[in-house]
Amino acid sequence: MCNSKNISVVLKEFEQLLQLKYSGRTPANYLYHVKLFLNYSDNVPLRVNNEDILNYNISIRNKSNSFRNVAINAIKSYFKLYLRKQVKGFSSIRPPKEYKKPKVYDCYILSEKIQNIENKKHKAILALSLCCWLRKSELLNIKISDINGSLMTLKINQSKGCKDRVVIISENTINILREYHKEYKPKEYLFEGLNGGKYSSTSVDKITKKYLYKDMRFHSLRASGATFALSNGTDLKTVSKILGHKHIQTTEYYIPILYKTIKQAI
């Protein structure tokens, strides 16, 4: 096995490169998988090769397809960013992707549930998420300076794929945010924890289930909003842009049933 000190140094340097290249949870996820790979390999970190990749892939063959795909992406990134060399043959060992289509809910019912929430912070979190179709990481990273109240816009910085985008906030949601800000007075991030800093991901999940549906995942707010827009005549390209999807095909897959119905109607 590799020397643990060597691995720790390499991982620390690799983490810095990941932070420059990726955003959200990707750096942490990739670092985790590369650490597993390097600890498994008999080679030192700078000398790992195709054979090491193949052997490691065999060792995780009983893991889920999703786990294995992320592992391969992470190892590819390690070779490209840190070792500065390309490795061929990844496609031959890559399992098919497992897509979990988000469940979609009625936006009228969601809006009514959110409107009746008494806690102003919880109300603001869910209202903004539904209005702007936010990923959880995007929600937690919003700073006060990202909100433009007069223009009623939200700037989402360094989202998935390290892309920025600007989305419109409805007047009702702006008013909800103003009431929340007046009471809680956050200092840096729009939504902060009791001791300052970013609001926790776990707390977001809890309030989603508490106020909306017990089995609801936060990501369904995003899917429900996009589905509602499509069903009311918004074109797919616009929906894709607001979601922050790099390829329109991602949006087609994201809401397949509704999109298929619309295409048939046309």
Side-chain angles (χ1 to χ4, degrees), residues 111-119 123 211:
S111 297
E112 185 178 354
K113 285 176 175 286
I114 292 171
Q115 200 65 40
N116 291 328
I117 297 174
E118 293 184 5
N119 185 296
K123 183 177 183 178
Y211 296 108

Side-chain angles (χ1 to χ4, degrees), residues 87-100:
V87 178
K88 297 180 180 179
F90 276 107
S91 58
S92 63
I93 61 174
R94 184 183 292 279
K97 286 186 177 181
E98 294 174 334
Y99 289 101
K100 292 183 179 179

Side-chain angles (χ1 to χ4, degrees), residues 44-146:
V44 295
L46 300 182
R47 295 180 182 176
V48 287
N49 53 40
N50 285 39
E51 186 177 352
D52 294 307
I53 297 170
L54 180 59
N55 290 335
Y56 180 67
N57 190 62
I58 293 172
S59 76
I60 60 173
R61 63 186 179 277
N62 292 326
K63 297 287 188 180
S64 69
N65 289 357
S66 176
F67 181 97
R68 291 168 60 198
N69 269 308
V70 176
I72 290 171
N73 288 337
I75 296 168
K76 280 182 68 175
S77 181
Y78 174 69
F79 273 77
K80 184 177 180 180
L81 296 179
Y82 192 80
L83 299 182
R84 297 183 180 277
K85 61 182 180 180
Q86 297 288 344
V87 178
K88 297 180 180 179
F90 276 107
S91 58
S92 63
I93 61 174
R94 184 183 292 279
K97 286 186 177 181
E98 294 174 334
Y99 289 101
K100 292 183 179 179
K101 299 183 181 76
K103 187 176 180 180
V104 172
Y105 296 81
D106 187 319
C107 274
Y108 289 113
I109 296 176
L110 291 177
S111 297
E112 185 178 354
K113 285 176 175 286
I114 292 171
Q115 200 65 40
N116 291 328
I117 297 174
E118 293 184 5
N119 185 296
K120 288 184 172 60
K121 178 187 281 188
H122 297 168
K123 183 177 183 178
I125 287 172
L126 295 176
L128 186 63
S129 300
L130 178 62
C131 176
C132 298
W133 312 347
L134 299 175
R135 299 179 176 97
K136 193 190 298 183
S137 60
E138 294 170 348
L139 170 72
L140 299 177
N141 286 322
I142 296 173
K143 294 187 176 181
I144 299 171
S145 56
D146 296 330

